[in-house]
């Protein structure tokens, strides 16, 4: 599965961005999709994941209702809507695909190239 993430950019504190991740594989709908992020000097951390059916989602505590993950299996695309962005959300955001349903990066088999999100104060 090839994944391509896009939609990052520079936004002011309190702003919004929607990240998208397009998958090349027709079996996309069978994968759990996750978003992770990595800030400079920090380890990659889990952000959110959505199961293959789209009905079950799980978020990291720091999202606190600000982020929403969704997917459109007909378009082979997963989204991450990010609202009320803070400077500490600045990171490279990665999408990933997994045949399981975990939140650890090691649970994910395929990764996109990442898209930079920068939130200015």
């Amino acid at each position: 599965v090839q994944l391509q993430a896009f939609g990052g950019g520079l936004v002011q504190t309190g702003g919004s961005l929607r990240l998208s991740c397009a998958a090349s594989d027709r079996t996309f709908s069978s994968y759990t999709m996750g978003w992770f992020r990595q800030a400079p000097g920090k380890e990659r951390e889990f952000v959110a994941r959505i199961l293959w059916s789209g009905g079950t989602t799980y978020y990291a505590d720091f999202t606190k209702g600000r982020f929403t993950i969704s997917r459109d299996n007909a378009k082979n695309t997963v989204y991450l809507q990010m609202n009320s962005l803070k400077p500490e959300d600045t990171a490279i955001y990665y999408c990933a695909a997994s045949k399981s349903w975990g939140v650890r990066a090691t649970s994910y088999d395929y990764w996109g190239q990442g898209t930079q999100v920068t939130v200015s104060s």
Side-chain angles (χ1 to χ4, degrees):
V1 178
Q2 291 185 325
L3 303 173
Q4 184 173 6
F6 52 95
L10 174 64
V11 64
Q12 292 185 333
T13 297
S16 298
L17 283 174
R18 187 174 84 153
L19 306 183
S20 300
C21 175
S24 63
D25 201 290
R26 289 181 297 176
T27 62
F28 168 81
S29 62
S30 67
Y31 287 88
T32 292
M33 297 300 297
W35 285 97
F36 291 76
R37 70 183 188 183
Q38 188 166 18
K42 295 187 177 181
E43 294 186 353
R44 190 169 300 190
E45 64 178 347
F46 169 79
V47 177
R49 68 111 169 93
I50 185 167
L51 297 188
W52 66 273
S53 65
T56 303
T57 58
Y58 183 76
Y59 296 91
D61 288 344
F62 64 78
T63 66
K64 292 182 180 179
R66 299 183 297 129
F67 295 3
T68 302
I69 188 171
S70 62
R71 67 190 295 162
D72 185 338
N73 287 339
K75 296 182 178 180
N76 288 356
T77 302
V78 62
Y79 305 97
L80 184 69
Q81 177 67 44
M82 304 187 295
N83 300 325
S84 303
L85 284 163
K86 306 173 182 179
E88 52 263 45
D89 293 318
T90 295
I92 299 174
Y93 283 70
Y94 298 89
C95 60
S98 172
K99 279 294 189 179
S100 66
W101 53 86
V103 300
R104 295 178 181 269
T106 52
S107 299
Y108 289 76
D109 307 296
Y110 304 98
W111 291 83
Q113 84 287 3
T115 184
Q116 176 72 47
V117 171
T118 303
V119 185
S120 63
S121 57

